[in-house]
Amino acid sequence: QVQMVESGGDSVQAGGSLRLSCIVSGFDVDSCGFHWHRQAAGAEREWVSTISATNFVDYTDSVKGRFTISKDRTQNTVFLEMNSLKPEDTAMYYCQTSVTCPAVSGYWGQGTQVTVSS
């Protein structure tokens, strides 16, 4: 029984910080890579960050130095720490398993809304 639940989204002022959580049930986060994506209203979905099964990380250029992706095996959770938030970070943020994940390929959570005001 696989489940991924995103949480931590909120409305914050520019320059603020949020920590998004992708709480995983049904498989171990260490067994898979994960992505964070975001989609602003009326815009195309955008890839934000990746963490591999071996904890290699990568980010889209616009968030490098501000966002940090990580996994915690004990909590079985994938995190996206977001600092120095900008209005252009406003979007629905989604957690997704890698297409190579042996448990569930390309599985999406329901998302959590981040709103950054100036």
Side-chain angles (χ1 to χ4, degrees):
Q1 188 175 15
V2 172
Q3 187 176 11
M4 301 200 307
V5 179
E6 297 99 327
S7 63
D10 205 349
S11 297
V12 298
Q13 292 184 322
S17 298
L18 288 172
R19 188 192 197 195
L20 306 185
S21 299
C22 177
I23 303 170
V24 175
S25 300
F27 64 97
D28 294 333
V29 296
D30 280 355
S31 69
C32 288
F34 292 85
H35 312 284
W36 284 97
H37 304 266
R38 65 188 180 187
Q39 187 167 24
E44 295 182 346
R45 186 179 64 213
E46 176 189 24
W47 168 78
V48 175
S49 185
T50 292
I51 184 165
S52 75
T54 55
N55 289 331
F56 173 85
V57 299
D58 199 10
Y59 306 90
T60 191
D61 285 344
S62 64
V63 309
K64 286 181 179 177
R66 300 189 298 119
F67 290 12
T68 303
I69 189 170
S70 63
K71 293 187 289 184
D72 187 283
R73 183 177 61 83
T74 301
Q75 299 180 64
N76 213 41
T77 299
V78 183
F79 298 101
L80 185 68
E81 299 175 15
M82 306 185 297
N83 300 309
S84 301
L85 283 163
K86 304 174 181 179
E88 51 263 45
D89 296 318
T90 295
M92 184 74 75
Y93 283 72
Y94 299 92
C95 183
Q96 185 205 23
T97 62
S98 169
V99 296
T100 61
C101 177
V104 279
S105 174
Y107 189 86
W108 294 81
Q110 294 299 306
T112 185
Q113 178 68 40
V114 172
T115 302
V116 185
S117 60
S118 61

